[in-house]
């Protein structure tokens, strides 16, 4: 991965950004903050999408 | 709308909330939702496996069916995880409703009620309308209301167990103690009669998943639960008679043939 921001990572992975939720190190990152959210070595990124649930 | 139930800002005609997991196909899920007549379905957020785009397909199906969603925080083990999941859900699903689960124990999937209360307070303060999945503990229920919850969702039995009501006394006590709080039985029901029972106790609604999705015929079972919930609710409103130990003739005694006139 060459992405340096969360937005770049989503683009690289080909996600439709309207249907994903993101978190960095267990903290929610709003869609509008992804472009300014820089990624560092060892960061835990969560990218989630809608799924069946009970 | 006859006899609606109001959950936060929303009046609902159906007292059944349906989970969307563990159906054999998306088509069966959609049919079961329609057969149940429910207006709310629960959904979750998960990582995508590999290059799959299952999330978009599922979300599009739910939108096509036209029901409102109640996202959950299923599988979260800490308040922190649950809070972040709820925040992601609010953005993805565009709703401030959240079914709050903080799981404390794997064998029973019993809620960690301490983490639950902590997360409920943080989320309610942040503007969420919290539907906490909790045990039948009355003191925990008090704490959840104090934290800002306006609906409570006690379990009947462990998630997916289909056991029905494990502790009828505790559920009755909760109902009696919180007469004005919407109470939804969430988890552990297996048969329509279980749902009828809790509705007769005065519970406001029922949330089901496995009992429908793992039935031999999920669509027919969705309908069966809908009928049982409606029947149980009507039974509660009609105020059942008081049971007695001894028989009491239902046919009039006076005028019985062959009776000796004194």
């Amino acid at each position: 991965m060459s992405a340096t921001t969360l937005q770049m990572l989503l683009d690289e992975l080909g996600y439709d950004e309207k249907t994903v939720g993101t978190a960095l190190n267990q903290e929610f990152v709003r869609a509008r903050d992804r472009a300014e959210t820089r990624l560092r070595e060892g960061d835990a990124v969560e990218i989630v999408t809608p799924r069946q649930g009970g | 709308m006859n006899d609606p139930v109001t959950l936060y800002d929303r009046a609902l005609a159906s007292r059944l909330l349906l989970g969307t997991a563990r159906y054999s196909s998306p088509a069966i899920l959609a049919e079961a939702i329609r057969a149940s007549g429910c207006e709310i379905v629960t959904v979750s957020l998960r990582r995508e496996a590999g290059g799959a785009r299952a999330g978009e397909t599922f979300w599009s199906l739910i939108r096509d069916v036209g029901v409102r969603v109640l996202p959950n925080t299923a599988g979260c083990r800490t308040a922190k995880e649950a809070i972040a999941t709820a925040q992601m859900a609010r953005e993805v699903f565009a709703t401030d409703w959240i079914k709050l689960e903080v799981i404390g124990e794997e064998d029973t999937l019993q809620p960690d009620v301490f983490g639950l209360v902590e997360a409920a307070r943080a989320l309610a303060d942040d503007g969420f309308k919290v539907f906490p999945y909790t045990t039948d503990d009355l003191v925990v229920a008090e704490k959840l209301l104090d934290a800002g919850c306006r609906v409570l969702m006690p379990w009947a039995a462990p998630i997916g167990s289909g056991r029905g009501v494990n502790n009828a006394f505790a559920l009755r006590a909760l109902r009696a103690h919180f007469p004005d709080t919407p109470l939804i039985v969430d988890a552990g029901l297996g048969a329509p009669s279980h749902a009828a029972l809790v509705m007769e106790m005065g519970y406001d609604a029922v949330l089901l998943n496995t009992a429908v999705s793992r039935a031999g015929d999920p669509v027919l079972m969705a309908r069966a639960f809908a009928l049982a919930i409606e029947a149980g609710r009507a039974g509660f409103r009609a105020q059942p008679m008081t049971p007695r130990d001894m028989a009491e003739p239902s046919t009039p005694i006076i005028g019985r043939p062959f009776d000796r006139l004194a």
Side-chain angles (χ1 to χ4, degrees):
Chain A
M1 298 290 167
S2 57
T4 56
T5 67
L6 188 52
Q7 185 59 56
M8 287 171 71
L9 179 64
L10 289 175
D11 293 343
E12 203 169 297
L13 294 172
Y15 281 104
D16 174 355
E17 62 189 67
K18 290 188 290 298
T19 55
V20 301
T22 50
L24 184 65
N25 301 322
Q26 292 200 355
E27 300 282 352
F28 170 57
V29 179
R30 296 179 298 184
R32 63 171 181 265
D33 294 334
R34 287 172 191 156
E36 287 79 48
T37 301
R38 304 195 70 77
L39 300 180
R40 295 179 181 78
E41 191 71 29
D43 274 346
V45 177
E46 286 293 348
I47 302 169
V48 292
T49 68
R51 198 65 52 84
Q52 295 83 353
Chain B
M1 201 183 293
N2 184 31
D3 187 33
V5 57
T6 300
L7 304 176
Y8 287 99
D9 50 356
R10 180 91 164 203
L12 303 163
S14 169
R15 291 170 178 268
L16 195 168
L17 292 79
L18 193 62
T20 55
R22 307 186 71 193
Y23 292 83
S24 55
S25 74
I28 297 285
L29 164 62
E31 256 192 273
I33 294 172
R34 290 191 191 98
S36 76
C38 75
E39 294 158 75
I40 307 290
V41 296
T42 53
V43 294
S44 74
L45 286 174
R46 286 291 178 267
R47 295 172 181 161
E48 294 276 14
R53 290 295 177 263
E56 289 165 31
T57 311
F58 169 68
W59 188 212
S60 145
L61 171 95
I62 295 300
R63 278 179 300 196
D64 287 348
V65 177
V67 282
R68 182 167 178 159
V69 295
L70 173 60
N72 70 27
T73 64
C76 289
R77 289 177 183 78
T78 63
K80 189 177 173 70
E81 286 177 8
I83 291 165
T85 303
Q87 290 168 324
M88 290 192 285
R90 179 163 61 181
E91 190 176 76
V92 171
F93 294 110
T95 175
D96 53 7
W97 283 21
I98 191 74
K99 172 180 163 176
L100 183 61
E101 286 186 42
V102 182
I103 298 301
E105 203 281 315
E106 287 304 315
D107 284 337
T108 57
L109 296 178
Q110 180 162 342
D112 167 3
V113 295
F114 304 97
L116 181 68
V117 172
E118 179 189 343
R121 187 177 302 280
L123 291 170
D125 288 350
D126 189 20
F128 281 89
K129 297 182 170 69
V130 181
F131 294 66
Y133 165 61
T134 185
T135 65
D136 50 32
D137 188 290
L138 198 146
V139 177
V140 171
E142 291 272 21
K143 303 278 185 200
L144 287 167
L145 294 181
D146 181 61
C149 299
R150 294 294 167 262
V151 171
L152 296 173
M153 301 209 298
W155 68 354
I159 294 171
S161 69
R163 294 179 50 83
V165 175
N166 261 355
N167 189 341
F169 168 78
L171 287 185
R172 285 188 203 283
L174 272 185
R175 180 69 286 176
H177 196 71
F178 303 106
D180 302 321
T181 301
L183 298 180
I184 302 170
V185 167
D186 178 10
L189 302 184
S193 54
H194 301 156
L197 173 65
V198 299
M199 294 306 293
E200 284 174 18
M201 287 180 184
Y203 274 75
D204 294 282
V206 165
L207 200 165
L208 300 165
N209 193 149
T210 311
V212 171
S213 63
R214 306 310 287 176
D217 183 340
V219 177
L220 185 57
M221 190 58 87
R223 179 76 185 129
F225 267 104
L227 292 169
I229 289 164
E230 199 181 326
R233 173 66 186 173
F236 168 72
R237 293 178 71 204
Q239 302 162 43
M241 63 167 282
T242 307
R244 31 183 297 139
D245 289 334
M246 295 299 159
E248 187 173 41
S250 44
T251 305
I253 300 287
I254 296 173
R256 186 170 67 107
F258 314 116
D259 229 2
R260 280 170 192 262
L261 295 173

